[in-house]
Amino acid sequence: MTVAFSTGPTGLGTSSLQARRQSGEQPVRPIPGLYWHPVKEPEPAVVAEIDRRIARWAVEEVSLVPPEWADEFEAFGTGRSVCLTYPEAAGLDHLEAAARLLVAENAVDDCYCEDHGGSPHGLGARLLMAHSSLERPYAVAPYEQQWQEKLDSEPPCRAYRAAMEFFNRHTSDQIRDREIHDLARLHLGYLAEAAWSIDGVVPEIPEYLMVRQYNSFRPCLTIVDAIDGYVFPADLHDHPKVQQVIALASLATTLVNDLYSYTKELRSPRPHVNLPTVVQTHENLPPDEAYAKAITIHNDVMHRFEAEAAACAAALPSPLTARYLKGVADWVDGNHWWHATNTRRYTLPGFLPAE
């Protein structure tokens, strides 16, 4: 089987890529054949200010980042990430709220699930503790106080709680509850992947695609209205057509992460399951062909996301619906560009053709 990778992304030709390189802009390294849309680079001063604020918060206020993690924390590029994904943010405080939640979510993943002390064993108890930090736990004295002291002793839980408290100051109770619900979905996805690891199984492709709608960027996507400074009403947000669009966007953005982090995860001391490895296992393909098939799956999800978003806008004609759907699409596009240009964090597999 011969695999052909296309030589330019949708919407941005090779000449534009060369011009960006020559101008000294952020290094461009999109995956050949991937379907994506170009985005506008954020203002460097805004990125720098969010990075300054988030570093102060993570290091000084919640003691989340020890010195040995400083380089990795900086390489993530939190400020640029939120500026790319929320281009219509209402202000610096709103961007900071998104950045705090993003950092806290990553800390729970890294410290409880992944490479900074995480493990699939005992993950349920750790995630229960983390999730309870998002909502005040209730019991009876002295047990409530004992649990609160336990939360205070855990840096990821401190970060979760502080991030949610800051977010609450810039949004409504409705969106707060929505975000907590989507974080529960995220934690459910973590537990499913932990079970695969403990059982030593590689999930079938349909099962993997289903779980990646839970272990996904959905908690970031669902709050685009809050970060942009308005409230998308519950009767619209909860409509099945809107929920379908959010689910497809969550899946598409997470498959982007699978593709860009593929090489990094191969180097990880603990095996990772991602779409290319799932395809390779269950369709008995060599790595390059499995990776190409994963690109095709991502592209198909993106096309369906765009078609369903258009159908949703037509079925629910409202300026707020249009605004919310645009915010979701902006997040999808910004998320790709952050991955494609974060060369400190990601490298592409050697079997991809050079552009």
Side-chain angles (χ1 to χ4, degrees):
M1 177 181 178
T2 301
V3 180
F5 293 93
S6 63
T7 56
T10 299
L12 191 61
T14 304
S15 60
S16 295
L17 295 175
Q18 291 171 343
R20 282 174 178 255
R21 291 191 182 101
Q22 293 168 0
S23 70
E25 292 182 26
Q26 190 78 14
V28 177
R29 193 191 68 319
I31 293 171
L34 199 71
Y35 179 73
W36 58 278
H37 303 292
V39 299
K40 182 181 178 181
E41 281 289 340
E43 290 292 333
V46 176
V47 172
E49 174 61 14
I50 297 303
D51 279 334
R52 184 192 67 80
R53 291 186 181 197
I54 203 66
R56 181 192 61 199
W57 173 74
V59 175
E60 299 176 12
E61 293 186 27
V62 294
S63 301
L64 180 64
V65 181
E68 59 269 24
W69 295 358
D71 289 344
E72 185 178 349
F73 182 76
E74 180 186 353
F76 186 90
T78 304
R80 188 164 180 271
S81 175
V82 297
C83 288
L84 280 170
T85 51
Y86 302 101
E88 302 298 325
L92 288 173
D93 286 350
H94 289 75
L95 284 169
E96 183 181 356
R100 288 191 183 199
L101 285 170
L102 177 61
V103 168
E105 290 159 25
N106 282 331
V108 169
D109 189 15
D110 288 343
C111 297
Y112 291 162
C113 307
E114 297 287 351
D115 298 330
H116 288 302
S119 168
H121 298 279
L123 181 58
R126 294 191 297 275
L127 288 180
L128 171 65
M129 181 170 62
H131 195 82
S132 73
S133 67
L134 299 168
E135 305 175 272
R136 179 182 172 183
Y138 297 99
V140 293
Y143 306 112
E144 184 176 321
Q145 182 61 32
Q146 290 175 8
W147 185 254
Q148 190 62 60
E149 290 171 357
K150 185 173 180 63
L151 294 180
D152 291 342
S153 70
E154 292 282 327
C157 294
R158 289 199 303 269
Y160 244 174
R161 185 180 62 206
M164 185 58 70
E165 288 174 349
F166 189 81
F167 178 67
N168 289 347
R169 298 204 292 269
H170 301 284
T171 190
S172 67
D173 290 341
Q174 170 198 319
I175 298 180
R176 170 188 172 276
D177 285 347
R178 179 207 303 171
E179 176 71 345
I180 291 172
H181 184 194
D182 281 331
L183 286 166
R185 284 184 165 114
L186 176 68
H187 299 155
L188 179 62
Y190 289 164
L191 290 171
E193 295 197 7
W196 295 336
S197 178
I198 291 172
D199 293 342
V201 301
V202 177
E204 299 280 350
I205 297 173
E207 182 184 9
Y208 182 77
L209 294 175
M210 181 272 295
V211 169
R212 284 307 250 171
Q213 291 173 63
Y214 294 91
N215 181 1
S216 73
F217 294 110
R218 185 175 182 130
C220 303
L221 277 157
T222 196
I223 59 170
V224 293
D225 54 339
I227 305 307
D228 286 358
Y230 70 100
V231 176
F232 190 43
D235 61 329
L236 290 174
H237 175 269
D238 297 345
H239 192 283
K241 288 187 176 296
V242 175
Q243 289 298 301
Q244 182 181 24
V245 171
I246 295 171
L248 287 165
S250 302
L251 178 58
T253 55
T254 310
L255 296 185
V256 160
N257 179 264
D258 276 12
L259 291 163
Y260 279 100
S261 63
Y262 172 77
T263 303
K264 179 169 74 77
E265 290 182 350
L266 286 180
R267 296 194 298 263
S268 175
R270 188 156 55 84
H272 283 258
V273 176
N274 52 52
L275 183 58
T277 61
V278 170
V279 172
Q280 181 180 348
T281 298
H282 291 290
E283 299 203 353
N284 196 28
L285 295 174
D288 59 336
E289 295 182 13
Y291 194 90
K293 178 67 177 288
I295 291 173
T296 299
I297 293 171
H298 163 271
N299 292 351
D300 289 346
V301 172
M302 276 289 292
H303 291 311
R304 185 174 181 189
F305 157 67
E306 293 180 346
E308 295 296 347
C312 179
L316 302 171
S318 159
L320 283 180
T321 301
R323 185 179 184 184
Y324 187 80
L325 294 177
K326 181 183 182 300
V328 171
D330 286 344
W331 206 99
V332 171
D333 293 337
N335 170 73
H336 167 265
W337 197 241
W338 175 81
H339 278 87
T341 53
N342 194 337
T343 54
R344 290 183 65 180
R345 186 173 174 84
Y346 302 113
T347 56
L348 297 185
F351 52 68
L352 289 178
E355 292 188 334

